[in-house]
Each structure stands twice: as C-alpha cells, then as structure tokens.
C-alpha cells in the first residue's frame, strides 16, 4: 500500500525547512532539542492554497487508477471537514459539468454503530466478515451538487465543545462511483481532549473523545503493521478499520490530509503532526508507483502486440475463407508471433507479481 501524507494550514503558515518534489520537511520547536523536531510530509498547503488547488494536486493520478481514498483528520476546528467536503464538492461538480453520471452513498460511524447519511440517518445492521457488510445502504444518483452537500451537512452528528461550536463527532465515509472510478472520502471525527470539554453531558463527550482517539490509533496501527509486513493486521478492532480495509489491499490513490490550526494549543498541532509523520514513508510511494506504472506500460505493450496479431489473423482468415489457401502457411507464423509475445510478457508478469502485495 502506497499513500501520501499532506498538511493543510488553516490560519497561519507552517515554516518549511526544505522541500523537493515528494518531500516537505518542517521543523517544530522543542524543549529538549535545540535543533527542533523534524517532520515529513509529501507536501504542505499554506493558508493561501484553495480547495481547487488541493483538489487538482491529489486528483492528478485518479484517472490512472479506479480506486481513490482521501482521508482528512485533525483536531476539531482545524478545517478538516471544510477541506474534505470541499474536495467532494469539487469532484461532483466536475462530473456534472462534463455530463458524467455518478452515484453517491454515505454512512457515519458513531458509538460503533452505522447510520445512513442519505436515508435520514437510519441505523443500519452491519457484520464484520472479511470486510464490513452493511445492509440496506442507500445509493443516490448525483443530480444536484448543492442538494447533496446540504444533505451531508444536515445529517452529521455534531456537538458543542470548548474548542468548536460545531464539532463533528462521527466518522463520515462517503463513496462516489462514476463508471469504473470510485472515490472514497473520509471525514474523521474532530479530535479533542475530553478533559477540556465544557458540555452539559460531560461524560458523554469524554466517551466520544475516547472512541475517536481509539479509532484513530487503530487505523494507524493497521497501516504501520502492514508497512512492516506483519501477518496479523487487527482490522476487526473497530468499524472504521473494517470499513476502510479494502484501502490496504488494493492498488489505489491514498491521500491523508492533516489539517492544522495554530490558534489551537500547540500540543494539539504536535499531536496531529506526530500522527501524520507515523504514516509518512519517504520515497517509497514514488518508487512503488513507478513499478506499477512500468508494469502497466508493459501490459499495454503486450495487449497492443496481441491485438495487432489478432487483427492480422482475422484478415488472413477472411482471405483463406474466400479461397486463398496458398496463404495457409502464414497461420504458423502468426501463431509463433503470438506465442513469443505471451511468453515474454508472462516472464515479466511473474516478476511483477513477486514485487506487488497480494490482493
């Protein structure tokens, strides 16, 4: 699994120590280290970057693959819902503008229960099998983008906390299908330290905060274990990891967006950055992407060669059908050419299969 990790600043720029095409290093002040703490991202979007700019960057590889996962996380009030819902709105508008039919479904995970966002937040039955099975999830055609976005906004579980008057308390998973292309948008619940909450039902808010943190830790643990090629990946720890299990075993575009606000306590920003840094793997994403791209190029060349040979075979078949039997020996030449192409690509396919993770 190859993923990219980004940071988006809400209200102040983040000081960048160094930057190249696939690595952006930031340094944070530290009480114990004079040189500070270094943290890596694939890119950092400063306060002047718009949702359109961000969408264009993370979407540039979407046409190459059929599966895309975009995940936003961060402390409440840092702008994660604004960012990920902005990406969703931008994608839906692009489909509408180009006349592409698309469908959408969505559910939110709250208190380890599943609620259908596009069916009045009805609670749905679910089962943990090899993946998360959800019974009766509504699927809607995308006809009006504003209506879709308003529906999502009205049905999210929110609560007033000391850090945010409208804090998302559920994980929202929105799936958009257009032909063979699928985008999964994940708006993680807003993190917050439960001890700081000032709410009439304080115990409830503390439990929500605990559940949110445990879910995020479970997701990070699964990613780290998979990166280390460990055999046991604890997907069954929570519904979030079960719902995103396919992300780990398919070749797909994965973008984790860490949203940051310097107006919050620095502890919260450091906590989010530490989480993001644990997910980041320097250069590995590019290296694996190059291998996938090379494999696809070889496969495309093989298909082109085979199709050309088959087209020649059809022409030869028509000629022989109409009595030109003197061309019959050419069949052997055609077959030899096809066998050669098959064997050459089979050897390459075996090598690629050994490199790529089992799906």
């Amino acid at each position: 699994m190859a993923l990219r990790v980004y940071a988006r600043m809400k209200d102040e720029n983040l000081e960048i120590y160094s930057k190249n095409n696939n690595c952006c290093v930031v340094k944070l002040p530290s009480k114990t280290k004079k040189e500070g703490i270094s943290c890596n991202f694939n890119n950092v979007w400063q306060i002047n970057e718009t949702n359109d700019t961000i969408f264009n960057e993370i979407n540039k590889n979407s046409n190459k693959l059929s599966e895309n996962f975009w995940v936003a996380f961060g402390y409440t009030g840092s702008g994660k819902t604004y960012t990920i819902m902005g990406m969703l709105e931008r994608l839906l508008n692009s489909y509408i503008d180009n006349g592409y039919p698309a469908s959408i479904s969505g559910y939110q995970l709250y208190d380890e229960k599943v609620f259908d966002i596009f069916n009045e937040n009805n609670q749905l039955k679910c089962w943990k099998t090899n993946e998360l099975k959800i019974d009766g999830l509504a699927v809607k055609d995308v006809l009006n983008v504003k209506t879709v976005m308003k529906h999502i906004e009205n049905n999210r579980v929110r609560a007033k906390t000391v850090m945010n008057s409208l804090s998302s308390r559920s994980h929202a998973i929105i799936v958009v299908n257009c032909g063979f292309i699928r985008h999964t948008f994940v708006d993680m619940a807003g993190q917050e330290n439960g001890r700081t909450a000032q709410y009439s039902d304080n115990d409830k808010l503390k439990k929500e905060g605990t559940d949110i943190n445990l879910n995020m830790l479970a997701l990070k643990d699964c990613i780290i274990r998979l990166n280390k090629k460990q055999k046991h990946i604890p997907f069954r720890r929570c519904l979030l990891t079960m719902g995103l299990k396919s992300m780990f075993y398919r070749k797909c575009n994965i973008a984790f967006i860490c949203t940051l606000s310097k107006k919050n306590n620095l502890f919260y920003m450091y906590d989010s950055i530490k989480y993001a840094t644990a997910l980041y793997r320097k250069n590995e994403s590019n290296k694996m992407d190059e291998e996938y791209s090379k494999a696809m190029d070889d496969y495309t060349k093989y298909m082109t060669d085979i199709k050309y040979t088959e087209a020649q075979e059809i022409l030869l078949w028509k000629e022989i059908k109409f009595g030109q039997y003197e061309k019959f020996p050419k069949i052997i030449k055609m077959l030899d050419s096809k066998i050669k192409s098959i064997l050459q690509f089979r050897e390459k396919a075996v090598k690629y299969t050994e490199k790529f993770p089992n799906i």
Side-chain angles (χ1 to χ4, degrees):
M1 178 190 65
L3 63 84
R4 293 176 174 83
V5 182
Y6 303 95
R8 187 188 193 183
M9 300 305 299
K10 179 182 179 181
D11 36 47
E12 292 183 44
N13 288 336
L14 191 63
E15 185 176 351
I16 296 175
Y17 180 73
S18 65
K19 185 176 182 179
N20 58 35
N21 291 335
N22 194 49
C23 181
C24 191
V25 181
V26 300
K27 280 198 173 183
L28 304 175
S30 171
K31 294 181 179 179
T32 57
K33 297 181 179 180
K34 290 183 179 181
E35 67 276 12
I37 302 172
S38 295
C39 306
N40 298 325
F41 296 94
N42 290 98
N43 196 10
V44 173
W45 296 307
Q46 306 284 22
I47 59 174
N48 61 322
E49 304 287 359
T50 65
N51 277 345
D52 282 348
T53 301
I54 295 171
F55 173 84
N56 290 333
E57 179 168 345
I58 64 177
N59 190 53
K60 60 187 176 184
N61 293 318
S62 292
N63 293 330
K64 298 179 181 178
L65 299 169
S66 61
E67 197 86 18
N68 301 273
F69 289 86
W70 298 350
V71 184
F73 67 94
Y75 270 80
T76 183
S78 62
K80 61 180 183 50
T81 298
Y82 172 79
T83 298
I84 202 68
M85 290 299 111
M87 302 298 98
L88 172 61
E89 185 174 10
R90 178 69 176 76
L91 179 72
L92 296 181
N93 277 323
S94 70
Y95 286 153
I96 293 291
D97 292 343
N98 289 285
Y100 298 146
S103 63
I104 190 168
S105 61
Y107 60 94
Q108 55 186 335
L109 303 175
Y110 177 72
D111 194 25
E112 282 301 285
K113 299 180 180 66
V114 177
F115 299 89
D116 193 341
I117 290 176
F118 291 98
N119 189 16
E120 307 306 324
N121 264 341
N122 286 339
Q123 184 178 343
L124 302 176
K125 292 182 179 179
C126 64
W127 296 269
K128 293 180 182 179
T129 57
N130 287 333
E131 57 185 15
L132 183 63
K133 297 287 187 181
I134 301 174
D135 184 35
L137 185 65
V139 179
K140 304 289 185 181
D141 292 330
V142 179
L143 303 176
N144 185 288
V145 176
K146 288 185 178 180
T147 300
V148 170
M149 301 308 299
K150 194 67 177 177
H151 201 94
I152 297 172
E153 181 182 359
N154 291 340
N155 283 287
R156 288 298 301 278
V157 176
R158 303 177 191 276
K160 182 178 181 180
T161 70
V162 70
M163 293 175 65
N164 191 358
S165 60
L166 287 173
S167 176
S168 301
R169 312 311 289 164
S170 68
H171 305 300
I173 299 177
I174 311 294
V175 180
V176 178
N177 286 288
C178 181
F180 293 106
I181 305 297
R182 173 181 294 178
H183 283 79
T184 300
F185 296 81
V186 183
D187 183 14
M188 302 285 283
Q191 292 175 269
E192 182 166 356
N193 188 329
R195 291 176 297 178
T196 67
Q198 293 177 354
Y199 187 60
S200 59
D201 190 0
N202 198 41
D203 289 339
K204 177 182 177 182
L205 193 62
K206 284 182 178 180
K207 183 181 183 304
E208 289 175 354
T210 300
D211 289 342
I212 291 168
N213 290 334
L214 288 176
N215 279 193
M216 290 196 65
L217 287 172
L219 179 60
K220 181 175 70 172
D221 188 32
C222 287
I223 293 172
I224 292 174
R225 284 172 180 260
L226 193 67
N227 290 343
K228 292 180 178 179
K229 303 185 185 303
Q230 295 185 7
K231 291 184 178 180
H232 175 65
I233 312 297
F235 292 111
R236 299 177 68 86
R237 279 172 57 180
C238 64
L239 293 181
L240 177 66
T241 49
M242 285 297 296
L244 298 179
K245 185 178 178 181
S246 62
M247 177 179 74
F248 296 84
Y249 290 109
R250 295 178 185 170
K251 171 53 184 169
C252 47
N253 288 313
I254 306 173
F256 272 74
I257 305 172
C258 172
T259 57
L260 302 168
S261 172
K262 285 191 175 182
K263 289 185 178 180
N264 289 342
N265 188 302
L266 282 179
F267 167 81
Y268 301 130
M269 189 175 74
Y270 284 14
D271 192 32
S272 294
I273 289 177
K274 184 178 179 180
Y275 186 94
T277 301
L279 304 179
Y280 176 84
R281 290 181 293 165
K282 186 176 182 180
N283 294 330
E284 192 164 336
S285 295
N286 273 356
K287 184 178 179 181
M288 186 56 72
D289 282 349
E290 288 172 2
E291 287 294 326
Y292 281 119
S293 180
K294 186 178 178 182
M296 194 62 206
D297 288 343
D298 285 340
Y299 193 22
T300 301
K301 183 180 183 304
Y302 160 74
M303 291 296 294
T304 302
D305 292 343
I306 289 294
K307 289 296 181 183
Y308 175 78
T309 304
E310 289 177 348
Q312 295 298 109
E313 281 183 310
I314 292 173
L315 291 175
L316 182 61
W317 173 79
K318 288 181 178 179
E319 291 173 343
I320 294 175
K321 180 181 178 182
F322 288 100
Q324 300 183 40
Y325 285 95
E326 70 276 7
K327 295 187 177 182
F328 205 87
K330 288 187 177 181
I331 295 176
I332 298 174
K333 186 177 181 180
M334 293 287 184
L335 291 174
D336 287 342
S337 176
K338 183 181 288 188
I339 291 171
K340 181 180 179 181
S341 295
I342 292 172
L343 291 177
Q344 285 179 343
F345 182 69
R346 186 187 185 282
E347 183 178 350
K348 293 179 180 179
V350 169
K351 292 180 180 179
Y352 285 127
T353 302
E354 292 172 351
K355 291 181 181 179
F356 299 157
N358 294 326
I359 297 178

